[in-house]
Amino acid sequence: MAADDAGAGPGAYQSSGDRSVRTSLTGHDAAAQDSAAASNLEVALAADITTARGISLTVNLYNGVPVPHEVTIAWGDGTTDAITMNGGEVRGFNKHTYPRPGDYTVTVTATDSVNKVQAVNQLAFSTAGSFFVPHTPTRLLDTRSGVGAAKAKVGAYSSVWVKIAGRGKVPTGVAAVVLNVTVTNTTAGGHVSVYPAGKQRPESSNMNYVAGQTVPNQVIVPVSKDGYVELYNGGWNAVDLLADVTGYFDRSANDGYTSLNPVRFVDTREGLGAARGQVAGQGTFGVQITGKSGIPAGVSAVALNVTVTNPREAGHLTVFPSGQTAPTTSNLNFTAGQTIANSVIVPVGADGKINVRNGAWAGTDVIVDVVGYYGAGSKAAFASTTPGIPAGGPWRLLDSRRWGGPGTWPCLAGGYMPMDMDSGNRDRLPVEAYVLNVTVTSTSGPGFLSVAPDPYSMDAYRNGRPTPPPRPVSSTLNWTAGKDVPNLVQAKPGPHEVIDLWNQSSREAHYIVDWFGQYDAY
């Protein structure tokens, strides 16, 4: 018995009453057989997606005689619930949380012992969430050389489709993919948006660029049913695009996510976590990940924010698992004197370490902040759909340029902006981390942004001005005057689902925040 309709959004799963299998419990009792024939009991089912691993179920005992029925709900994960309902009654159930993401079938059995009839219906569905699988950094697109697409620049206001599923070690049916996307050979300004192929292009952008810039950014994006993502060049002139896969999300995977308050693991300027002094050109250093800041042994991958500062010449940085040869892919590109950050998800070697390689011919300083990790002991699953949010995301959560009119409400120099991430979803369980793309714009001087959990509720801000939280030391992105700079952020919220955007500069700046998904612990 299949569902009438299936999908990831709320109310997407239904199995109508006429799909019920009705049987008589009469044996050889002729009178009871007549009663059973008089009952047209049907069980209609509907399910709403509530969290990455949860659903709510509605049971309708359609056309049942108004007498008590024994109803058993087998959730498909080895657990059951038993209740009593009257015939003709409709009842909704609080969400059921599954132990892991996957494909499940709920079986509901209603028994009318008075009229000796039983009806059974089933509802098949897929959870909204998926677990993570690390992938050795592999290039899936390079328009400069014809990898994954034609050997030609992507034209102005045009897009290129990139096959994800079935390439490298990425299987078919994956829910989302982690890509490091780079735009290069730019001759005019523009932006790049990445989204499931064939879907309506979102308002959000993943990166902004100007003439002559090479800009990388990490992207977590849902994959279309036929296995593609789409990269759109929103610029006046053609550009080259590169995309490297570093992981994917799949319902059959084993590794959930655990978020951390951003922790600084490496700062070569101070000798933290590595030798003090710039990383030499073509040099590599290792970083111990496990056994520090509560990260256990055996984790499969780590989520980082990596920053290059004070580079003596142009180059790139590559982050990769220890015990492996450095891949030809890059995680961030830089020019001489530039300070630039990029989000990185990288597999962890068997010894609990990762490696960082400076691909330039001259030295640079490197900063590494850890924001979370993936492993079999972590339960949070990634979902790009959730109640009240458009299916498939992304969507624009904040644009401070639009508050009260153009040019108003920037984040003040040295100040912070609290964001209520739970608005409209007060009945939801806490979220482990939000996947956001944050862009700083309208900058008039250099600075950097920190994203951190806020210990207060939004009611505390509405009813007064609490003492500011401790100023974070980690950086999420860095900028110079006049530049629009984006970065992916896996933001851990505070206990009241509030995060802070800290303007760590001496000038005002505007923020654009796009929601791409979240890690639900339930």
Side-chain angles (χ1 to χ4, degrees), residues 128-142:
S130 301
F131 277 164
F132 179 71
V133 180
H135 192 289
T136 301
T138 304
R139 183 142 294 172
L140 299 184
L141 172 70
D142 190 339

Side-chain angles (χ1 to χ4, degrees), residues 399-413:
D399 187 340
S400 65
R401 300 169 302 178
R402 300 179 181 177
W403 289 359
T408 62
W409 297 105
C411 188
L412 299 178

Side-chain angles (χ1 to χ4, degrees), residues 97-317:
T97 300
Y98 287 86
R100 54 164 298 110
D103 301 319
Y104 294 95
T105 299
V106 176
T107 302
V108 177
T109 303
T111 303
D112 177 355
S113 299
V114 175
N115 294 289
K116 305 295 183 182
V117 65
Q118 184 177 83
V120 180
N121 200 354
Q122 293 183 320
L123 179 64
F125 73 97
S126 300
T127 62
S130 301
F131 277 164
F132 179 71
V133 180
H135 192 289
T136 301
T138 304
R139 183 142 294 172
L140 299 184
L141 172 70
D142 190 339
T143 59
R144 301 170 305 178
S145 58
V147 173
K151 185 180 178 181
K153 283 187 171 184
V154 179
Y157 304 105
S158 300
S159 62
V160 59
W161 286 35
V162 182
K163 178 72 170 176
I164 301 296
R167 295 185 63 195
K169 295 183 179 179
V170 182
T172 59
V174 296
V177 64
V178 182
L179 299 173
N180 195 67
V181 178
T182 303
V183 58
T184 190
N185 296 329
T186 59
T187 58
H191 68 272
V192 175
S193 296
V194 187
Y195 50 98
K199 298 291 186 180
Q200 181 176 352
R201 188 173 71 252
E203 179 186 12
S204 61
S205 63
N206 295 93
M207 64 190 72
N208 301 72
Y209 61 85
V210 297
Q213 264 193 319
T214 295
V215 181
N217 199 15
Q218 184 167 260
V219 175
I220 298 178
V221 59
V223 178
S224 69
K225 289 185 177 180
D226 56 357
Y228 286 82
V229 299
E230 190 168 350
L231 282 70
Y232 173 79
N233 171 27
W236 290 100
N237 292 346
V239 298
D240 279 310
L241 293 174
L242 293 72
D244 303 321
V245 59
T246 62
Y248 59 89
F249 293 89
D250 187 73
R251 292 186 182 92
S252 63
N254 295 316
D255 293 343
Y257 182 70
T258 297
S259 63
L260 299 173
N261 291 335
V263 182
R264 181 143 294 174
F265 270 44
V266 174
D267 190 337
T268 60
R269 300 170 301 179
E270 303 174 0
L272 174 65
R276 184 173 182 175
Q278 291 198 325
V279 182
Q282 305 296 304
T284 300
F285 67 93
V287 183
Q288 182 67 45
I289 296 297
T290 60
K292 300 175 62 178
S293 299
I295 302 178
V299 301
S300 61
V302 64
L304 312 170
N305 201 69
V306 180
T307 304
V308 165
T309 189
N310 305 318
R312 291 161 54 194
E313 67 171 34
H316 66 272
L317 211 66

Side-chain angles (χ1 to χ4, degrees), residues 70-73 80-84:
E70 293 78 38
V71 177
T72 300
I73 303 171
T80 60
D81 284 318
I83 61 170
T84 300

Side-chain angles (χ1 to χ4, degrees), residues 13 25 47 50 77 84 100 145 183 250 290 319 327 380 460 483 495 511:
Y13 297 97
L25 306 178
T50 55
D77 60 359
T84 300
R100 54 164 298 110
S145 58
V183 58
D250 187 73
T290 60
V319 187
K483 296 294 178 64
Y511 298 149

Side-chain angles (χ1 to χ4, degrees), residues 52-64:
R53 293 186 286 119
I55 65 166
S56 63
L57 181 70
T58 299
V59 177
N60 182 355
L61 299 189
Y62 186 69
N63 281 340

Side-chain angles (χ1 to χ4, degrees), residues 308-465:
V308 165
T309 189
N310 305 318
R312 291 161 54 194
E313 67 171 34
H316 66 272
L317 211 66
T318 299
V319 187
F320 59 102
S322 67
Q324 298 184 16
T325 302
T328 57
T329 58
S330 63
N331 294 98
L332 67 160
N333 300 72
F334 51 86
T335 57
Q338 184 182 26
T339 297
I340 186 170
N342 198 20
S343 178
V344 175
I345 297 175
V346 60
V348 176
D351 58 359
K353 295 181 178 181
I354 61 170
N355 290 331
V356 181
R357 181 178 183 272
N358 175 17
W361 291 104
T364 185
D365 281 307
V366 176
I367 302 167
V368 178
D369 296 320
V370 176
V371 301
Y373 61 87
Y374 300 87
S378 301
K379 299 300 182 184
F382 174 75
S384 59
T385 58
T386 195
I389 292 177
W395 67 291
R396 182 138 292 172
L397 183 65
L398 167 71
D399 187 340
S400 65
R401 300 169 302 178
R402 300 179 181 177
W403 289 359
T408 62
W409 297 105
C411 188
L412 299 178
Y416 72 99
M417 181 184 294
M419 287 185 58
D420 183 7
M421 301 301 298
D422 197 36
S423 179
N425 288 303
R426 297 297 179 188
D427 59 340
R428 286 181 53 77
L429 293 167
V431 171
E432 182 74 13
Y434 292 93
V435 179
L436 311 172
N437 198 75
V438 180
T439 302
V440 171
T441 187
S442 304
T443 59
S444 58
F448 70 95
L449 171 74
S450 299
V451 180
D454 191 306
Y456 304 116
S457 68
M458 289 306 296
D459 286 340
Y461 285 100
R462 296 184 186 102
N463 298 327
R465 179 174 288 277

